[in-house]
Amino acid sequence: MHASGHDYLESFIAISKYFDIEFEEVRGWTCCAPVAAHGVSHLLSIAVPAVNLSIVEKMNYNTVVVPCAACFSRFKVA
């Protein structure tokens, strides 16, 4: 989100401020869109979000919010 998804980041920050919601960014998050994991391999398209979910779990969270439709789609599939 800090590179090609900057527009998503700006709107996400604005909405979270408006609703007074704090989010913690997941360190080590791997975005599947730049590498188009879903176009390379079905297994990879599931593995990338699964790794992200395992990082979130290690952070002791059970809820994930993603501002990107591609991330949402990949998480839903995984």
Side-chain angles (χ1 to χ4, degrees):
M1 292 200 31
H2 297 284
S4 61
H6 189 65
D7 292 340
Y8 284 123
L9 180 61
E10 285 184 16
S11 61
F12 189 71
I13 290 171
I15 292 297
S16 22
K17 283 182 182 178
Y18 179 83
F19 287 106
D20 196 28
I21 300 171
E22 285 188 40
F23 293 98
E24 183 175 351
E25 187 171 346
V26 177
R27 301 260 181 221
W29 180 277
T30 302
C31 178
C32 68
V35 295
H38 52 280
V40 174
S41 158
H42 178 68
L43 178 60
L44 186 59
S45 73
I46 296 170
V48 171
V51 169
N52 290 333
L53 287 173
S54 73
I55 295 169
V56 171
E57 186 177 62
K58 287 177 186 171
M59 295 173 68
N60 293 319
Y61 289 111
N62 60 10
T63 302
V64 179
V65 176
V66 293
C68 171
C71 283
F72 176 78
S73 173
R74 296 294 89 208
F75 274 99
K76 190 173 180 180
V77 169

